[in-house]
Every structure is written in C-alpha cells, then in structure tokens.
Amino acid sequence: MREFLVGLAALAVGVAIVFGWLSITAWLVSTLVTFLFAVDFGFWQAFASVVLLGVISNIAFSGLKRRSTQ
C-alpha cells in the first residue's frame, strides 16, 4: 500500500510540474501576442494552442530518428 501511495504522489508531482510548465508557457504566449499584435489573446486560448502545437509536432516528427548521445 505504501508503494502505491508513493507512486501516486510521484504521479501527482509530475502532473503538477507539466501543468506548471504549460501554464507559464501559455501565459508568456498570451502576453507576447497581446503586446506585439494588440489582439486580446486570452490565457486559455494560449494554453490550448501550446498543447495542440505540442501534440501536432509530436505526430509530425514521430517518424524521425533521434540522435543518440553516444
């Protein structure tokens, strides 16, 4: 039971870190688009665009071989 709770806590921390990174990126995109183009580009629109861009880029570049560090 203890191992399950440790795993669940690690998963929750991982999700919080990913959500935090996406939120910071979305806030930055929202702020920059509003400042540069004088268009009201809200936080949740920026959040959705960052997530969709990540998904689309993963699909588009999934067939490419990755360079190993060796």
Side-chain angles (χ1 to χ4, degrees):
M1 181 69 180
R2 182 178 170 93
E3 293 85 15
F4 173 74
L5 291 176
V6 169
L8 190 62
L11 179 67
V13 167
V15 168
I17 289 172
V18 169
F19 186 77
W21 178 254
L22 287 173
S23 296
I24 290 169
T25 306
W27 173 79
L28 189 65
V29 168
S30 164
T31 303
L32 288 176
V33 167
T34 302
F35 177 73
L36 293 175
F37 302 112
V39 175
D40 187 21
F41 195 65
F43 170 78
W44 290 111
Q45 290 172 325
F47 189 85
S49 66
V50 168
V51 170
L52 287 175
L53 184 65
V55 169
I56 290 170
S57 67
N58 281 338
I59 291 171
F61 299 116
S62 64
L64 295 177
K65 292 183 180 178
R66 297 184 187 249
R67 182 185 298 187
S68 66
T69 58
Q70 297 175 350

